[in-house]
Amino acid sequence: MITLRKAKDRFHTRAGWLDSWHTFSFGEHYDPKQAGFRALRVINDDTVRAGEGFGSHPHRDMEIISYVLEGALQHQDSSGGGGVIRPGDVQRMSAGSGVVHSEFNASATDPVHFLQIWLLPKSAGIEPGYEQKNFPLAQRQAKLQLLASREGRDGSLTIHQDAALYGATLARGESVSFEPAASRSAWVHVARGSIDLNGQRLQAGDGAAISGERLLTLRGEDPAEVLLFDLA
């Protein structure tokens, strides 16, 4: 079964310097039917104005992944993690027993467009941590590249949950396939462009909850950048 979550149906926050679309309930936006999917709790599609950002604030017991689409994001946290994230980079912060962090647009002239993703950890109270790696977009062309996994396998980021995050870029007509294990579910998020997913069209910002499908085929309709979550 494939259940679509269309971009236009997401929650929307506009705060002058911030334009944010929320796939699931977040902040003042709450809908018990859209509170998350399996361990996946947040996919925020954020655009932050030049020179602006999120000041220091706390988190705990959450695996937070930042994925930049355009521009540059400056990160700093109390675990000692920090750096600038650009397209092709993927960053993981484990909030665990408690962490304070800030995120700012690293440019004084251009906006930054990024996805912030939250997953519940397998266990509460783990030691906070930070990790950042570059996964060149060219290496994901017509290929599902593993970006994050519980074991950090194949050079991916390590997350503290039985989940895996894959990324792919697809030109028009290119396709990739994924076979979820029988006991698992998947979520597909289209970051940009458009794809055909098992006969259903998804455009930028669209998501799909997937259960009970033996084979997923993602085919590019317009040049697309896609994330796929394999979830217990």
Side-chain angles (χ1 to χ4, degrees), residues 4 52 169 226:
L4 298 187
E52 302 282 359
T169 56
V226 186

Side-chain angles (χ1 to χ4, degrees), residues 176-188:
V176 293
S177 295
F178 183 78
E179 298 182 35
S183 61
R184 298 178 73 85
S185 298
W187 182 277
V188 168

Side-chain angles (χ1 to χ4, degrees), residues 14-232:
R14 187 186 293 274
W17 59 273
L18 170 67
D19 190 4
S20 185
W21 292 88
H22 314 288
T23 296
F24 304 115
S25 296
F26 189 83
E28 66 185 26
H29 303 289
Y30 178 69
D31 179 349
K33 296 180 181 178
Q34 300 295 343
F37 183 70
R38 303 294 186 176
L40 184 58
R41 283 295 178 269
V42 168
I43 302 178
N44 286 350
D45 187 338
D46 293 341
T47 300
V48 175
R49 196 166 62 192
E52 302 282 359
F54 303 92
S56 295
H57 58 282
H59 290 289
R60 65 182 303 119
D61 292 329
M62 200 66 68
E63 298 290 285
I64 299 176
I65 296 172
S66 295
Y67 183 102
V68 172
L69 294 165
E70 294 179 282
L73 186 69
Q74 175 76 52
H75 171 97
Q76 195 71 40
D77 71 59
S78 57
S79 78
V84 177
I85 313 160
R86 295 182 171 87
D89 296 333
V90 185
Q91 176 224 79
R92 181 268 304 168
M93 183 183 75
S94 295
S97 58
V99 71
V100 175
H101 80 136
S102 63
E103 292 172 304
F104 282 89
N105 188 336
S107 172
T109 57
D110 301 314
V112 59
H113 180 199
F114 67 102
L115 303 177
Q116 188 165 100
I117 298 156
W118 295 7
L119 296 112
L120 292 172
K122 196 72 172 177
S123 302
I126 64 173
E127 182 179 354
Y130 175 92
E131 190 179 11
Q132 179 177 329
K133 292 186 178 182
N134 181 263
F135 301 90
L137 292 174
Q139 294 182 10
R140 305 183 222 166
Q141 193 68 43
K143 172 188 174 184
L144 282 168
Q145 181 172 13
L146 185 63
L147 305 178
S149 66
R150 182 172 57 178
E151 306 86 2
R153 66 184 185 274
D154 299 330
S156 66
L157 299 173
T158 299
I159 52 176
H160 300 88
Q161 176 54 264
D162 184 8
L165 170 60
Y166 296 85
T169 56
L170 298 169
R172 181 176 177 84
E174 289 183 334
S175 64
V176 293
S177 295
F178 183 78
E179 298 182 35
S183 61
R184 298 178 73 85
S185 298
W187 182 277
V188 168
H189 179 85
V190 180
R192 63 173 114 220
S194 63
I195 67 167
D196 179 284
L197 171 63
N198 287 20
Q200 300 197 53
R201 190 168 194 262
L202 278 73
Q203 297 176 286
D206 290 351
I210 302 154
S211 298
E213 297 285 329
R214 299 191 62 179
L215 177 67
L216 304 178
T217 300
L218 293 70
R219 180 175 57 83
E221 294 199 337
D222 296 317
E225 189 170 347
V226 186
L227 298 179
L228 185 151
F229 299 83
D230 177 26
L231 303 162

